[in-house]
Amino acid sequence: MSSDVRVRFAPSPTGFLHIGGARTVLFNWLYAKHTGGTLVLRIEDTDRARNTQEAAQAIYDGLRWLGLNWDEGPEASGDHGPYFQSEREAIYQSYLDKLRAANRVYDDAGSIRFRFAREKVVVDDVICGHIEFDMASSETNPDMTIRRADGSWIFHFVNVVDDIEMKISHVIRGEDHLSNTPKHIQLYRAFGATPPRFAHIPLILNKDGSKMSKRDQGASLNTYIDGGYLPEAVRNYLCLLGWSPKDNREKIDLKEVVRLFELEKVHRKNAAFDLEKCTWLNGEYVRELSDERFHSLARQALEKAGFDLSTFPPDYVRAALDTCNGKFKIFSELPGYCGFYFKDDFELNPDGVAKHFVAENKPRLLAVREAFAGLDNFDAAKLETGLKATAAQLNVKVGALVHPTRLAVTGTNAGPSLYHLLEILGKDRVLARIDRALNLLPG
Ligand code: GLU
């Protein structure tokens, strides 16, 4: 399917992809996919002070990580380039000439101003509806600068020129640009061009209702890329920031979002950002990973945290990681969760030590050690039977043995199934760790 729909993502490179930008490009991408249209990537780099190459790279990396491909733009083909504003000087000059010829600009202390038509401008927004802006007064709406005295262009002008030249049919962007839209419509008219359809998507707010800014927790896409999130989960979460399927499902396949996505259905009200929900959703996706991908991501997360897995037999690593599957939400939790498999000198959780490494537990842990030492088959079932029989002999609850044992062999009181992890660690390691703990126990 191909259509006349042409949308664009037009980021100003700032060094990283902001979650708001990621959501904007996602909605453009969804609309392009839904309609069979084209997504253009245009880098709005008129701010020459920044290092465009590197900052643009962060944008490509972010989009690629999210799995959002663009049809035209840098590192893609397209007949409407160049796709960097910094390379479009001649085009802007020719458009400025058009405005000059129509007597719509004047010089003002070295800068150039665009003369607004003094009239009402209606923005007929697909999402926000019909909004009237009264631009009659030059007091409240002074003529706008389109070029600074130093020759650099103002965003409004180059943005509109590019949207005309790139034949953009729908401008889908954050609601913070809604108030700019009447100015943009004035420029379209001055150029004799038909404005595109505008669709302003709701702002993303923090949980406390404040507008999300670059510095807020979870604002940079790097948080997710570096933090062990799955791109499909983050993308799913971003879909829900201002859109939802009718049945309010939260975990939803991208193909289905593409099928259902319509601009008219984008919410009018602001979207509340909830990192916990995104993290929860990630856990749902982790549960469904294929074995192969789970292992590969798990290994990456551990190696990133400094573990050298190559020193362990592959079967050992595999079995250890299998006990963690379904137990954590993001891969960055994994080294803390299962690091004990891959190092002996782990720290002991101080709260756990205070609670469980007490004098009355010494004979108990000793009894557990003896029971384990006597096992020929160090497998989960035998370990469970052995520990439970010991509890019965000592006339204590199973928990009274489980907690000190787990703390002794893993360093914490939460983790994979105890009997399975004991089996995987193997007799020698388990006994050595229990012996070390026994030395720490008073009494
Ligand atoms: N460079 C602008 C921004 O990042 C683009 C706005 C638009 O999409 O028109 O906010």
Side-chain angles (χ1 to χ4, degrees), residues 296-344:
S296 141
L297 292 170
R299 295 183 73 105
Q300 271 173 39
L302 285 161
E303 273 155 15
K304 197 170 152 195
F307 290 96
D308 180 5
L309 299 184
S310 69
T311 60
F312 296 89
D315 285 351
Y316 176 82
V317 177
R318 180 160 283 274
L321 294 178
D322 278 340
T323 63
C324 307
N325 202 343
K327 301 283 181 65
F328 63 93
K329 298 194 188 76
I330 49 180
F331 277 94
S332 54
E333 291 171 26
L334 194 58
Y337 189 78
C338 77
F340 67 86
Y341 280 122
F342 308 108
K343 66 173 175 202
D344 292 315

Side-chain angles (χ1 to χ4, degrees), residues 13 17 82 130 133 196 214 238 281 290 300 302-303 322 335 361 368-369 398 408 414:
L17 192 55
H130 228 69
F133 293 84
K214 283 176 188 165
L238 291 175
L281 199 52
S290 69
Q300 271 173 39
L302 285 161
E303 273 155 15
D322 278 340
N361 277 342
V368 170
R369 191 208 186 274
V398 174

Side-chain angles (χ1 to χ4, degrees), residues 8-14 21 24 28 42-45 85 155 159-160 163 171-174 176-177 180 184 198 200:
R8 83 313 191 258
F9 177 49
S12 310
T14 53
T24 299
N28 276 281
R42 176 174 82 228
I43 306 295
E44 301 213 324
D45 59 345
Q85 289 190 329
F155 152 72
N159 181 267
V160 168
D163 282 344
V171 167
I172 305 168
R173 62 185 173 189
D176 45 335
H177 286 292
N180 292 328
H184 296 182
F198 289 99
H200 286 92

Side-chain angles (χ1 to χ4, degrees), residues 13-121:
T14 53
F16 67 89
L17 192 55
H18 183 262
I19 206 76
R23 195 266 316 249
T24 299
V25 65
L26 172 63
F27 280 24
N28 276 281
W29 184 92
L30 287 169
Y31 190 61
K33 292 289 169 218
H34 178 78
T35 56
T38 301
L39 172 62
V40 178
L41 175 62
R42 176 174 82 228
I43 306 295
E44 301 213 324
D45 59 345
T46 48
D47 183 350
R48 291 175 202 158
R50 300 187 202 266
N51 181 343
T52 305
Q53 212 36 49
E54 240 167 65
Q57 191 60 48
I59 291 166
Y60 313 149
D61 291 347
L63 297 187
R64 290 196 175 115
W65 185 78
L66 282 168
L68 302 176
N69 60 305
W70 55 102
D71 305 295
E72 284 181 27
E75 305 194 352
S77 54
D79 300 332
H80 301 80
Y83 294 95
F84 288 87
Q85 289 190 329
S86 55
E87 296 171 13
R88 299 174 62 80
E89 183 61 27
I91 299 169
Y92 303 141
Q93 278 296 343
S94 76
Y95 272 75
L96 179 61
D97 292 345
K98 288 187 198 182
L99 293 182
R100 247 194 238 290
N103 193 27
R104 292 297 300 271
V105 290
Y106 56 90
D107 293 347
D108 177 14
S111 64
I112 298 175
R113 277 181 189 263
F114 171 68
R115 209 187 301 280
F116 281 133
R118 294 299 163 194
E119 60 190 16
K120 281 204 174 90
V121 178

